Amino acid sequence: MDKSTDTAKVSTAEATPIIPLPQAAARGITVAGSALALIGTFLAWTWTREFPGNLTVTGYPGGLQVLTLVGSALTLLFALSGYGIKGLGWLTPGGKNSPVLLAALGVFGTTGYAIGAISQELGGLVNLEPGAWVSGIGALVALIGALGLPVDQPYGAGEPTPNLWGRIRHSLTAPDPGRAKELPSWAEILIIAGGFGVGLYVFAYGIGTEYSELFIGFLIVAAFGFTAITRAGLLKRLSALTAKHRNVTLGAAFAAAICFPFTQTNDQFALIGANILIFATVALGLNVVVGLAGLLDLGYVAFLGVGAYAAALVSGSPASTIGVEFPFWAAVLTGAAASLIFGVVIGAPTLRLRGDYLAIVTLGFGEIFRITMNNLNGNSGPDVTNGSNGIPQIPDLEIFGFNLGVPHDVLGHELTRSANYYLLMLVFTAIVVMVFRRSAESRIGRAWVAIREDETAATAMGINGFRLKLLAFALGASLAGLAGTVQSHVSYSVTPEQYQFAGSVPPNSAFLLAAVILGGMGTISGPLIGAALLYLIPAKLQFMAEYQLLLFGIALMLLMRFRPEGLVADRRKQLEFHETGQLDVPEDKPLPEGATGVAKAGA
């Protein structure tokens, strides 16, 4: 009796908030602070237009003010949902307080960054107008109130009372929102379409940010907002609907992707979208090798280079030493076939190795490919690739009389060259997604997973490990070569320096592997999201190029510490990297009749 009482006391103490406030008062302070921060966005934040975004207008938010407004509105809605207001309860099916804290942190971080950026660029806090102070104080008050709210679920007995960092870490734990109310099929489909519509708008807004300060603020709001929505349980509810309507989900995803170029008026942003798709498609091909078969390939970018060089040599470039011009479909098949052959040639003698030894061999292959392309210049070797000069002046593709290098008017909107290649690459991405999905769900895909988990056990069960690993290697190489054929035409040229193990500009082997790990190995959407983030952030923050690899390493360490399964993880990875929540059998509990001591020890 005393022991259970002590346990209850510990759980109650550990549910105590960081700032001791009555729950009603803490929620009221959060609501007031977020409302104050929202009101401040309609006031001027600075007196001069020298700071980008024109924050001098009263009554019309712009630039960083819009981000604070969105974050404050989200915090306000989450905080009001805790009052049991009819119509707002669906916002937090998994937890009432943790989403409030995460959203408040996002508002405080964005507003604080905006105030610091204005002060640093214009020369001091004196350049701030009252609106900035109102939003800043409101964001601080909202955060204080959120810290006064108790945690949604008490910590386990025996754990220390959580500090601020522990409270935030607990808030990041994805909850179980429970079973949702059954809705008509048409309503569920509308929810899926709305979710992808919101995702398209957020993605288009992020790419369309025109200056680095706005993009950094966008990253802060998007990161904390996405985590808050996840912690609220909304993302799991949406995931359940997408799993129920899988075909509708795929259709909605590609419909949203098709709409992207119609939301862009700057050709440079459409080019970023096309390159993101190239990077994401290659990462998804690598996911076959690493995510499904468990083969650590550190030279995968070489297969992208093989496809790009093969397509460049047969696409009619004046610098091509072959002097032939294949139609588009033949050039694509040539690039994919060349990468497939190289995958088999490299994989056959090396895939009997495991672990670190295989990684070293594949890393060597990547460097050998780059050096070989550099030496085929007519001096060090045969004149095939023009050495370090590469193959320039690759002509634009023409498909069924449709020249992708010329702008076209579609539905009253002008599709630029970059938008044309974006749509073409979207078709290739759809093909790769279909191949990956069908492969993962097939008997071969299950055999790959068995090899990844324990190759010795898989071999004992009758699986031919070498043959299936070679098949995964060849399939992944051909998918990379498929993307390489489009990359060579998008960039107009191919050079050996584009295909390194690590560099300042993706795609390279290190960034491709990081995209798979960051997004979530073995999933479809994970590598796509990881590749989009790893390409978009360096493209928008070019002033940080000198510190890119340093920041990249720090991000990977933080990811491995707090989210080792990736941003989008399958159930197997979640069970592998996190506790299942099952209780241990108490040592003083008597054994049931017929049980043995061995059974108790195993329990």
Side-chain angles (χ1 to χ4, degrees), residues 88-431:
L88 292 179
W90 62 271
L91 281 173
T92 53
K96 302 293 184 182
N97 299 327
S98 294
V100 178
L101 174 60
L102 292 167
L105 283 169
V107 176
F108 181 75
T110 304
T111 308
Y113 168 75
I115 292 175
I118 293 172
S119 303
Q120 190 275 333
E121 188 163 331
L122 299 183
L125 295 174
V126 70
N127 294 283
L128 297 174
E129 289 291 302
W133 293 109
V134 171
S135 292
I137 294 173
L140 179 61
V141 170
L143 179 60
I144 293 174
L147 291 173
L149 294 172
V151 294
D152 290 320
Q153 299 172 353
Y155 283 63
E159 295 183 7
T161 303
N163 54 16
L164 175 59
W165 180 242
R167 171 75 187 277
I168 296 174
R169 285 189 59 192
H170 178 69
S171 299
L172 296 176
T173 305
D176 183 6
R179 186 177 179 85
K181 181 181 178 181
E182 291 291 337
L183 297 174
S185 296
W186 61 267
E188 294 177 345
I189 293 175
L190 284 180
I191 293 174
I192 293 173
F196 279 102
V198 172
L200 170 63
Y201 180 82
V202 172
F203 180 72
Y205 183 88
I207 287 185
T209 51
E210 297 181 350
Y211 48 95
S212 58
E213 292 86 354
L214 183 61
F215 183 72
I216 293 176
F218 165 77
L219 286 180
I220 297 173
V221 169
F224 281 101
F226 177 80
T227 310
I229 292 174
T230 303
R231 188 60 182 88
L234 294 177
L235 196 62
K236 279 196 173 183
R237 288 279 176 88
L238 182 60
S239 299
L241 294 181
T242 57
K244 182 178 179 181
H245 305 279
R246 181 173 297 183
N247 293 330
V248 173
T249 300
L250 291 177
F254 282 103
I258 290 173
C259 292
F260 168 74
F262 295 94
T263 65
Q264 303 298 313
T265 56
N266 191 327
D267 186 59
Q268 184 64 29
F269 299 151
L271 179 61
I272 293 176
N275 284 319
I276 285 176
L277 281 183
I278 293 173
F279 190 17
T281 303
V282 180
L284 197 57
L286 178 61
N287 199 24
V288 175
V289 180
V290 177
L292 293 181
L295 306 174
L296 183 56
D297 189 348
L298 298 182
Y300 186 76
V301 75
F303 297 121
L304 174 68
V306 170
Y309 265 100
L313 288 172
V314 300
S315 293
S317 170
S320 174
T321 56
I322 297 180
V324 297
E325 184 173 359
F326 286 1
F328 165 70
W329 62 269
V332 170
L333 292 179
T334 301
S339 297
L340 174 64
I341 292 172
F342 269 85
V344 174
V345 170
I346 299 302
T350 61
L351 286 179
R352 299 188 186 279
L353 301 174
R354 298 186 186 182
D356 299 338
Y357 300 101
L358 178 61
I360 293 173
V361 171
T362 54
L363 175 61
F365 164 65
E367 291 301 302
I368 290 172
F369 168 78
R370 182 177 60 83
I371 296 172
T372 302
M373 295 299 103
N374 208 21
N375 289 338
L376 296 179
N377 54 8
N379 295 323
S380 303
D383 187 10
V384 179
T385 64
N386 298 320
S388 59
N389 294 325
I391 303 176
Q393 300 178 353
I394 300 174
D396 285 308
L397 292 172
E398 186 170 340
I399 306 174
F400 302 116
F402 189 89
N403 192 332
L404 299 185
V406 179
H408 297 274
D409 186 75
V410 178
L411 301 177
H413 184 88
E414 184 182 68
L415 290 180
T416 61
R417 176 184 183 272
S418 299
N420 294 332
Y421 278 105
Y422 169 88
L423 293 176
L424 174 65
M425 198 59 225
L426 187 61
V427 175
F428 279 75
T429 304
I431 294 173

